[in-house]
């Protein structure tokens, strides 16, 4: 599988079989994204919650590509009301798709769409694709059950927010890595806006000092997992 980072919480996953998944595709109004929605395709769009910086350009892309939306039930209803294909799930549930296994986890945050529609609970997502597991925590505070999540599904890559204010800051995120115990931690949800400006190198240094591995992905960078 290949993992491409567009900045903020936005990723593109390309499976070995060529399927394209987008997670929280916030591109056109994202000042740090090198990609524009018109250039992005998707077979699946996974939304962690309904906030504008996560729904992003999902509907614009969907109008062109007709992907399957995967999200918690309430947000899936919102997407299907707009005419898109959806697969509704909920927290704690996993499902085997043709790209691999997807499980939603808890996240401590809010969730409402840009037009103020209730969007259910916010979520994190565990993706097991091509024998690797990626845990995208969504927007969340630190919570102790991250330890349980890592025990039940050993994590290769943990994508977690460090930008503070709306989510974990650096020190809480370092603790989250200790709890979930991934092979590699990748910081997200920082420096998109002034209020979430932090130094990601500080996060990487602190994770490494605690005995784990972390790496920054630059905006537009794609890595092979
Ligand atoms: Ni949010
Ligand atoms: Mn956010």
């Amino acid at each position: 599988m290949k993992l491409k980072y567009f900045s903020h919480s936005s990723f593109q996953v390309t499976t070995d079989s060529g399927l394209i998944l987008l997670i929280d595709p916030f591109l056109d109004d994202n000042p740090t994204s090198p990609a524009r929605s018109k250039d992005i395709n998707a077979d699946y769009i996974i939304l962690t919650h309904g906030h504008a910086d996560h729904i992003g350009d999902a509907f614009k892309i969907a109008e062109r590509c007709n992907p399957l939306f995967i999200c918690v039930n309430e947000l899936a209803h919102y997407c299907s009301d707009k005419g898109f294909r959806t697969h509704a799930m909920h927290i704690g549930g996993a499902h085997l798709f043709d790209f691999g296994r997807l499980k939603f986890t808890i996240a401590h945050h809010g969730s409402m769409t840009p037009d103020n529609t209730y969007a259910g609970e916010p979520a994190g997502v565990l993706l097991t694709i091509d024998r690797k597991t990626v845990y995208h925590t969504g927007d969340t505070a630190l919570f102790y059950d991250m330890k349980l999540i890592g025990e039940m599904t050993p994590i290769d890559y943990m994508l977690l927010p460090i930008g503070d204010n709306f989510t974990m800051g650096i020190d809480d995120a370092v603790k989250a890595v200790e709890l979930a115990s991934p092979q590699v931690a990748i910081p997200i949800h920082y420096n998109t806006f002034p209020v979430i400006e932090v130094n990601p190198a500080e996060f990487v240094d602190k994770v490494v000092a605690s005995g784990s591995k972390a790496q920054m992905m630059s905006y537009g960078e794609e890595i092979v997992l």
Side-chain angles (χ1 to χ4, degrees), residues 195-213:
V195 76
I196 57 171
E197 273 176 15
V198 297
N199 179 5
E202 182 190 336
F203 168 76
V204 170
D205 290 347
K206 285 182 171 176
V207 170
V208 170
S210 75
S212 298
K213 197 173 161 197

Side-chain angles (χ1 to χ4, degrees), residues 14-76:
T14 308
T15 69
D16 290 352
S17 62
L19 294 169
I20 298 173
L21 289 67
L22 301 179
I23 308 172
D24 292 351
F26 174 50
L27 308 170
D28 294 349
D29 295 329
N30 172 353
T32 52
S33 172
R36 288 295 163 253
S37 65
K38 65 177 173 55
D39 304 316
I40 302 298
N41 299 315
D43 298 301
Y44 297 87
I45 294 181
I46 300 158
L47 300 177
T48 61
H49 63 294
H51 288 158
D53 58 320
H54 296 262
I55 285 189
D57 304 296
F59 298 143
K60 238 187 278 182
I61 295 166
E63 274 165 21
R64 190 165 39 77
C65 301
N66 193 28
L68 183 69
F69 280 85
I70 306 171
C71 32
V72 299
N73 185 54
E74 294 81 357
L75 188 50

Side-chain angles (χ1 to χ4, degrees), residues 8-9 49 51 53-54 109 139 166-167 189 193:
H8 205 56
S9 294
H49 63 294
H51 288 158
D53 58 320
H54 296 262
H109 193 65
D139 282 4
F166 300 112
T167 67
H189 210 275
F193 314 110

